[in-house]
Amino acid sequence: MQIDDLRLETLCSPAIWAEGPVWLPEQDAVIFSDVKGNRMFHWQRSGEVSLWRSPSHYANGNARDNEGRVVSCEHGRRAISRTEHDGSVTLLVEKVDGKRFNSPNDVVVRSDGTIWFTDPPYGIVSDDEGYHAHSQVIGCYLYCFDPASGQLTIAASDLQRPNGLAFSPDESLLYVADMSIVDFPTLGRRQLRVYPVDGRELGSGRLFAEVAPGFPDGFCVDHRGNLYCSCADGVIIFDSHGRTRGKIPVPERVSNCALGGPDGNELYITATTSLYRVIIG
């Protein structure tokens, strides 16, 4: 991959705050959220863009499960939902120990079907990305939910403001963004952290990389273990050891990214109002 040769394409700009891209190979399309617009869009590789859902309950991060269904983090209902093949929506989990989540933010589905998601407060601090409300849980946690058994566990409690997350190619590691610098300018983190995975439990987390300018939001991992992470002015590329390989400049603030395309080599980037694409080789 020659980073200097990467070319950024603007695909569409229909959003107020674009987030949560996910590639759906069965449809040759990308689904992404417009969190502040309370809607979701559907972009096809043919170039057509259409409204996929409105209202979306202020959906943010999205993932594809092992059956090709879209799993979404909803700020509005403070829950994880799943869109079935017939278009109906199933609410999967909305409480922990009888208390409502803060506002689930980003999500990834493991090969065993478990759903891992982060729960910072950004959907309840105002009415911009959800509904203003008080937190019912003391803390911002990373959760693991098994839709088969209904079991919900706190997988990590040492994160201040967990956001994006992704597994390594062999699922032995889980990377998580902590962007607490937004709320705690002097003591907060702008880090990617990494945790060893043991079944449905995580070992002790450690620093993987510092992210600047800005902070890490959403990111993804390719089959070689390279990480593509959002920052204030683009997408930073890290190798599997946390070393910076380069940056893809983007003219809007980046929120998230996902790999897709028929060959898996198309990086779809959501940034403020737009969906972008880079062919990474």
Side-chain angles (χ1 to χ4, degrees):
M1 176 175 58
Q2 298 295 320
I3 295 173
D4 291 341
D5 296 333
L6 298 179
R7 184 172 66 88
L8 185 73
E9 303 172 70
T10 304
L11 302 178
C12 57
S13 300
I16 300 171
W17 178 242
E19 251 283 11
V22 58
W23 169 252
L24 301 182
E26 301 87 355
Q27 300 181 31
D28 204 29
V30 173
I31 296 292
F32 64 100
S33 300
D34 177 7
V35 187
K36 294 184 178 182
N38 193 17
R39 55 192 175 175
M40 299 173 75
F41 290 99
H42 180 277
W43 177 88
Q44 292 185 289
R45 291 184 77 250
S46 63
E48 181 182 353
V49 60
S50 59
L51 191 64
W52 193 65
R53 176 170 298 144
S54 180
S56 64
H57 299 286
Y58 295 94
N60 192 325
N62 303 286
R64 179 182 178 273
D65 76 2
N66 300 332
E67 296 183 32
R69 300 168 295 188
V70 176
V71 177
S72 300
C73 294
E74 295 185 2
H75 285 185
R77 292 195 287 187
R78 297 162 71 172
I80 302 295
S81 68
R82 182 179 65 210
T83 301
E84 311 296 344
H85 292 302
D86 64 3
S88 62
V89 179
T90 301
L91 208 60
L92 296 178
V93 60
E94 58 182 331
K95 292 182 178 179
V96 53
D97 296 330
K99 299 176 181 178
R100 300 187 72 184
F101 295 123
N102 293 316
S103 52
N105 189 283
D106 210 350
V107 60
V108 64
V109 180
R110 200 165 177 238
S111 61
D112 64 0
T114 52
I115 297 170
W116 302 65
F117 63 96
T118 54
D119 187 41
Y122 299 119
I124 59 173
V125 295
S126 72
D127 293 321
D128 288 342
E129 299 184 13
Y131 305 106
H132 183 262
H134 295 292
S135 175
Q136 296 183 12
V137 237
I138 302 174
C140 299
Y141 302 123
L142 166 66
Y143 293 95
C144 174
F145 175 68
D146 183 358
S149 66
Q151 182 182 8
L152 175 73
T153 57
I154 295 176
S157 58
D158 63 331
L159 296 150
Q160 297 172 353
R161 291 292 186 268
N163 203 297
L165 70 171
F167 284 102
S168 61
D170 64 1
E171 297 185 334
S172 65
L173 300 171
L174 179 64
Y175 301 95
V176 187
D178 192 333
M179 50 179 283
S180 54
I181 191 74
V182 173
D183 295 319
F184 311 110
T186 57
L187 299 175
R189 296 169 175 166
R190 47 162 48 98
Q191 299 177 354
L192 289 174
R193 300 185 63 77
V194 61
Y195 297 80
V197 181
D198 182 10
R200 297 181 183 180
E201 297 182 357
L202 300 180
S204 298
R206 62 174 174 84
L207 173 67
F208 176 75
E210 295 279 351
V211 177
F215 45 81
D217 194 337
F219 61 95
C220 63
V221 181
D222 70 15
H223 69 279
R224 299 183 184 89
N226 298 310
L227 277 76
Y228 301 80
C229 183
S230 61
C231 70
D233 59 358
V235 175
I236 302 175
I237 305 172
F238 298 99
D239 68 15
S240 60
H241 301 287
R243 297 175 297 218
T244 303
R245 297 190 60 191
K247 181 191 287 187
I248 303 168
V250 179
E252 300 180 272
R253 184 160 72 88
V254 177
S255 62
N256 213 330
C257 58
L259 286 160
D263 300 319
N265 65 339
E266 300 179 9
L267 183 69
Y268 290 94
I269 301 167
T270 48
T272 313
T273 66
S274 306
L275 177 69
Y276 295 90
R277 178 175 60 187
V278 172
I279 309 299
I280 60 173

